[in-house]
Amino acid sequence: MNALYPDFTSPGFLNDHISQTLAFYEDRAVDPAGGFFHCFEDDGRIYDRDLRHLVSSCRFVFDYALAYRERGAPQHRQKAKHGLAFLEQAHRQSNGAYAWQLHKGTVIDGQVMAYGHAFVLIASSFALEAGIEEARATLEHVWAFMETHFWDPKHNAYADEFNADMSILSPYRGQNANMHSCEGCIAAYRATGEARFLERAELLARKFARELADKTHGLIWEHYDTDWNPDYDYHRDKPNDLFKPWGIQPGHLVEWARLLLTLDAIRPQSWYLQRAVDLYGAAVKFGRDQEHGGLVYGFAPDGAVCAREKYYWVHSETAATAWRLYKRTGDNTYLEDYLDCWRYAWDHLIDHEHGAWFRVLTPDGKKIDNQKSPPGKTDYHTLGVCWDILSVSDAD
C-alpha cells in the first residue's frame, strides 16, 4: 500500500485523472477507415484491428461527446461525430437494428440486443447534447425502434433480445438492459428537455428499483422469465459471465442507486433517497472483500460471495455513488467509502505507467491478463463517474 495518496476529492485530481485516461486512447483509438479500434493491450498496442462491438462503438461516442461538452476541444467533437457515423453506416442494418458485432465491416453476430440499443440511445443523446445535430435522427430512430420491438407496456419494461432476422424474441428478460435504458432515457431528457424520456426513466426506476426489488428482499436480481418472475437458475453455473452473471451484482446495485439519486436531483420523489441508501448499503455490506480489499463481482441471495474477481467498473461506480450520497446526506461514512474505493483503485486498478484502468483483477488484486480494453471497455465508466463527481461538487 502507498503511504500517501492524492486528494481524491480535489477537482484538480479528478480533471488530471480524466486527462490521463483520455490520453491512453487519444492518438490510437480512431480508425481512419471508420469508427474506432476496440482491442488494446495494457501498453496500448492493438491486438485485433478488425473487431467492432456495438457497446464499444457507442461508448467511444459517449467518451468524446462528454469530453467535448465539458472541455470544448474540437477534436473530441470530431471524434464523436466520426463514431456516430460508424454506428449509422456500419452497425445499423436494413431492418433498423444495430448489429452486435462486426469483423472487417461484416456482421459476425447479428443478435439484436436491447442492452446494445440502450447504449445507442446513450451515445446519441450525449452527442446531441454536445451539439452534434446529426445525433437527433439517431436518437429518434433508436427510441422508436426500442418502442416498437422491445417495450412491453403490460410490464413497463424492455424485453431483451431477438435473433438476427428478428423472427424470434427470446423469453429471457433481464434487468441490465433496462438499467442502461433508464440511463439512456435520463441522457435523452437532458439532451432534449422532452418529458417522455424523463417519464420513461422514472417508470423504469420504479419497476426495477422498487416493484421488482421489493419481491427479492430489497435487492435487484439480474434474470427473469417472460412474466418478470425472478429466474434463480439462469446462468447458475456462470457467476462470472460478463453480461449475464448469476447472482446479485454490487456494481449494479450502486448503479441503480446513482440513477435514483440523479432522478431525485431532477424531479424528486419521496422514495428515491432511501432506496438508494438501501441498495448502496447492501452492495457494500455483501460486496466488500474483508481479506483483500475492494469489492467483489457478485454474491448469492444468501449473501455468500459467488464471484470474487475485482472489476474496474464496480469500483468507479461505487466511488461515484458514495460521493453522491455523501453530498446528499452529509454522512461521513460515504466519504470514507469514496476514499476507500479510490485507494483500492490507486493501488491496484489504475495503470500509472500507460494510463486508464485495468479491466479485471484476481481476488487478491493481480491482473488476469494484458487486455486493458477488450470489446466493451473504453473506460466509459471511469470517465463518466469522474465527471459526475465533478458535477455534484460544482452544484454545491
Side-chain angles (χ1 to χ4, degrees):
M1 295 286 289
N2 295 330
L4 297 173
Y5 296 96
D7 179 0
F8 297 123
T9 68
S10 162
F13 163 76
L14 291 163
N15 274 299
D16 286 347
H17 189 65
I18 288 167
S19 296
Q20 291 161 10
T21 304
L22 284 169
F24 176 81
Y25 299 99
E26 193 72 25
D27 296 326
R28 57 174 63 102
V30 172
D31 181 354
F36 303 94
F37 299 111
H38 290 186
C39 304
F40 298 101
E41 294 183 359
D42 287 338
D43 62 3
R45 284 181 288 185
I46 300 170
Y47 65 85
D48 186 333
R49 301 183 69 85
D50 300 313
L51 185 62
R52 300 290 183 268
H53 194 291
L54 179 58
V55 175
S56 281
S57 291
C58 293
R59 287 177 172 180
F60 271 122
V61 174
F62 166 92
D63 289 350
Y64 290 119
L66 181 54
Y68 177 75
R69 187 192 78 183
E70 295 297 324
R71 295 184 172 179
Q75 71 268 22
H76 290 150
R77 185 176 187 273
Q78 186 55 43
K79 287 175 179 176
K81 288 185 67 173
H82 178 81
L84 187 70
F86 187 79
L87 280 173
E88 289 300 307
Q89 295 164 13
H91 279 286
R92 184 167 163 178
Q93 304 299 298
S94 60
N95 61 3
Y98 293 82
W100 187 242
Q101 288 193 84
L102 312 171
H103 190 265
K104 293 185 177 180
T106 299
V107 176
I108 59 170
D109 186 343
Q111 290 184 96
V112 182
M113 308 288 286
Y115 179 89
H117 287 71
F119 276 100
V120 178
L121 181 62
I122 292 168
S124 58
S125 296
F126 274 86
L128 181 59
E129 194 176 16
I132 300 171
E133 191 58 34
E134 306 94 296
R136 189 178 301 275
T138 302
L139 191 161
E140 291 293 346
H141 170 76
V142 72
W143 170 263
F145 182 90
M146 294 181 72
E147 201 74 358
T148 300
H149 299 290
F150 287 117
W151 181 246
D152 178 357
K154 177 183 176 182
H155 295 288
N156 287 334
Y158 290 99
D160 218 79
E161 59 192 73
F162 284 91
N163 62 340
D165 66 6
M166 301 191 67
S167 61
I168 300 173
L169 176 63
S170 169
Y172 171 84
R173 301 290 183 268
Q175 78 79 24
N176 200 9
N178 283 275
M179 181 184 73
H180 287 293
S181 294
C182 182
E183 177 187 0
C185 290
I186 294 172
Y189 170 71
R190 285 174 162 169
T192 67
E194 295 180 23
R196 57 177 167 152
F197 298 120
L198 179 58
E199 290 165 1
R200 178 59 54 83
E202 292 171 335
L203 202 60
L204 290 167
R206 178 174 292 276
K207 176 71 175 184
F208 286 87
R210 192 170 188 180
E211 293 175 11
L212 290 178
D214 283 348
K215 297 178 180 180
T216 50
H217 308 289
L219 301 178
I220 296 173
W221 190 247
E222 293 289 317
H223 313 297
Y224 299 83
D225 65 19
T226 307
D227 293 320
W228 289 98
N229 300 304
D231 185 344
Y232 291 108
D233 291 320
Y234 186 88
H235 274 191
R236 183 177 286 272
D237 60 339
K238 296 179 180 179
N240 313 96
D241 192 82
L242 183 60
F243 291 114
K244 295 179 180 178
W246 183 84
I248 296 163
Q249 298 284 290
H252 288 160
L253 297 182
V254 299
E255 283 192 87
W256 269 115
R258 187 157 72 94
L259 288 171
L260 294 178
L261 293 167
T262 303
L263 287 169
D264 198 44
I266 297 171
R267 186 156 68 183
Q269 293 192 27
S270 60
W271 64 276
Y272 283 154
L273 177 60
Q274 187 57 55
R275 183 50 57 100
V277 167
D278 293 344
L279 292 173
Y280 175 88
V284 173
K285 176 181 178 180
F286 297 110
R288 180 173 281 147
D289 186 335
Q290 300 293 345
E291 181 180 1
H292 298 295
L295 293 155
V296 302
Y297 187 50
F299 61 89
D302 65 359
V305 174
C306 61
R308 297 186 176 278
E309 292 82 1
K310 309 294 172 58
Y311 276 83
Y312 89 103
W313 64 269
V314 176
H315 293 78
S316 57
E317 289 289 342
T318 302
T321 305
W323 184 256
R324 275 190 172 266
L325 283 167
Y326 167 61
K327 302 303 282 187
R328 180 72 169 78
T329 68
D331 187 338
N332 282 327
T333 302
Y334 298 121
L335 176 60
E336 287 305 312
D337 287 350
Y338 171 84
L339 296 173
D340 191 54
C341 278
W342 272 110
R343 292 182 194 116
Y344 184 86
W346 191 260
D347 289 337
H348 300 287
L349 285 163
I350 296 171
D351 185 342
H352 297 285
E353 180 179 1
H354 300 294
W357 290 36
F358 301 120
R359 176 178 60 97
V360 57
L361 309 174
T362 61
D364 59 350
K366 296 180 175 59
K367 288 192 304 175
I368 284 179
D369 55 37
N370 290 321
Q371 294 182 5
K372 178 172 286 170
S373 291
K377 180 179 181 288
T378 70
D379 281 80
Y380 133 89
H381 287 281
T382 313
L383 294 165
V385 302
C386 284
W387 265 310
D388 188 57
I389 293 164
L390 285 167
S391 74
V392 176
S393 301
D394 291 342
D396 290 349

